Amino acid sequence: MDIGLVGLGKMGGNMRERLRRGGHTVVGYDRNPDVSDAASLAEMVEQLPSPRAVWVMVPAGEPTRATVAELKDLLSEGDVIVDGGNSRWTDDLANAESLKDKGIGYVDCGVSGGVWGLENGYALMYGGDAADIEKVQPVFDTLKPEGDFGSVHAGKVGAGHFSKMVHNGIEYAIMQAYAEGWELLETAELTDNVTEVFRSWREGTVIRSWLLDLMVAALDEDPGLSKIAGYAEDSGEGRWTVEAGIEHAVATPAITAALYARFVSRQDDSPTMKAVSAMRNQFGGHAVRTAPPKGGDAAGGDGGPDQSTASQQAGAGGGHESAES
């Protein structure tokens, strides 16, 4: 099928490539002209046949809201917008409502897979009306991993991003447990080779996982994690998960503790947070903080200057620059 893709950063660019390998026609727009297929959002839309489908992969919050608003003026009844970034589910409700008067469909899609998704596929959690999802189902089928799992219609609009939010909250807690275990093994002085202990857990144990694989990869690259500062950002979704737990009176002590540990990491150089930061870098290419050069500032951080329009926001970096995965 034909689809427009707004935002060609680390994930958006790889998604365009995976879709093209699957036989789809993708017209991508990015504020970086070196990677963009169109000079503007309007030009991208003009190249799409009706009914048109546009996938948005720009940073969550105002960049996504502005992009959806700009697309509303460019699209027509029967078209559909997919937000594949890491928007808060409440934004999905507002976006879908704003598009109703023009008859434009809206699907929210939580995406996990990070920089590995091009080859392995992306886990997809999407919400919206069945008729709107049917219009973009071929794209979902191409992006997902091979096999029976990795893709789900989670429910109505907002359900996709809500599910991805909870996924990331769980991810916080799992990474925190691995990281604390690594620090304990390193500190106890009984274990001669902590990296090999972690490697041995990859087969036959109940705690084996892809995150464990990535932890081992990070330790192979830097056994003591000496090149990484004990500082870990939070993408926002961990906070939203804790807030949702409070709203629904569901206790989330492990996720909450993992979130608070990241806050503490910004005060002290924590060995545990070195491990969390290393895992985040492995699966998502997230920036890590390194020791500052003499007379300079430390490298890393997830931020960047704000842009004023949707067209400017649809730039390199995509919707997952500061998301977990």
Side-chain angles (χ1 to χ4, degrees):
M1 66 174 286
D2 293 76
I3 189 165
L5 180 58
V6 185
L8 302 171
K10 283 182 292 190
M11 286 191 73
N14 282 346
M15 291 170 76
R16 174 176 63 174
E17 177 61 23
R18 185 172 175 88
L19 288 172
R20 286 177 173 172
R21 291 180 185 179
H24 300 283
T25 299
V26 184
V27 182
Y29 170 69
D30 194 282
R31 71 169 181 258
N32 177 3
D34 293 336
V35 299
S36 188
D37 303 315
S40 65
L41 280 178
E43 182 179 300
M44 180 200 72
V45 170
E46 289 172 1
Q47 295 183 42
L48 298 173
S50 293
R52 293 164 294 195
V54 178
W55 188 298
V56 178
M57 284 295 290
V58 301
E62 185 55 32
T64 294
R65 290 191 290 267
T67 301
V68 171
E70 189 169 344
L71 285 170
K72 178 181 178 180
D73 293 334
L74 298 170
L75 298 175
S76 306
E77 183 176 355
D79 296 342
V80 63
I81 296 173
V82 180
D83 176 10
N86 279 284
S87 295
R88 190 166 184 166
W89 64 275
T90 50
D91 279 1
D92 296 319
L93 303 182
N95 285 334
E97 185 64 30
S98 74
L99 296 171
K100 276 186 178 180
D101 61 345
K102 285 194 68 175
I104 301 170
Y106 181 87
V107 175
D108 63 291
C109 184
V111 181
S112 183
V115 296
W116 302 87
L118 174 58
E119 300 300 333
N120 297 341
Y122 300 89
L124 306 174
M125 297 145 268
Y126 36 90
D129 293 339
D132 292 326
I133 288 170
E134 185 179 359
K135 295 175 184 178
V136 290
Q137 191 65 54
V139 167
F140 291 147
D141 291 342
T142 299
L143 288 175
K144 70 178 288 291
E146 293 184 9
D148 296 331
F149 307 110
S151 178
V152 61
H153 182 183
K156 57 189 177 182
V157 168
H161 282 144
F162 193 88
S163 298
K164 178 57 163 48
M165 176 192 75
V166 174
H167 165 282
N168 280 21
I170 294 170
E171 184 181 296
Y172 273 48
I174 294 173
M175 288 197 295
Q176 185 69 22
Y178 282 139
E180 291 174 4
W182 172 78
E183 182 178 0
L184 180 58
L185 285 168
E186 286 282 0
T187 303
E189 297 184 353
L190 293 171
T191 309
D192 293 331
N193 195 331
V194 175
T195 298
E196 292 307 315
V197 170
F198 267 74
R199 196 188 315 280
S200 75
W201 293 347
R202 295 175 64 186
E203 297 291 344
T205 72
V206 296
I207 63 169
R208 61 190 184 274
S209 72
W210 186 34
L211 280 173
L212 178 61
D213 296 341
L214 296 175
M215 180 66 181
V216 172
L219 291 171
D220 282 338
E221 293 175 8
D222 182 10
L225 302 182
S226 60
K227 300 175 183 177
I228 298 175
Y231 180 108
E233 290 282 0
D234 66 286
S235 66
E237 291 182 302
R239 298 187 190 207
W240 302 343
T241 305
V242 171
E243 291 170 3
I246 294 170
E247 180 182 352
H248 293 85
V250 174
T252 57
I255 295 171
T256 303
L259 173 66
Y260 277 36
R262 295 196 183 190
F263 296 163
V264 172
S265 80
R266 297 164 202 179
Q267 302 168 10
D268 301 296
D269 191 30
S270 162
T272 294
M273 284 300 123
K274 287 178 182 282
V276 170
S277 184
M279 282 183 277
R280 294 181 80 239
N281 180 253
Q282 285 289 323
F283 65 68
H286 300 294
V288 296
R289 294 204 170 198
T290 57
K294 188 174 182 180
D297 294 327
D302 289 341
D306 289 338
Q307 305 294 330
S308 59
T309 68
S311 294
Q312 288 173 320
Q313 293 288 6
H320 287 62
E321 289 304 319
S322 60
E324 288 298 303
S325 62

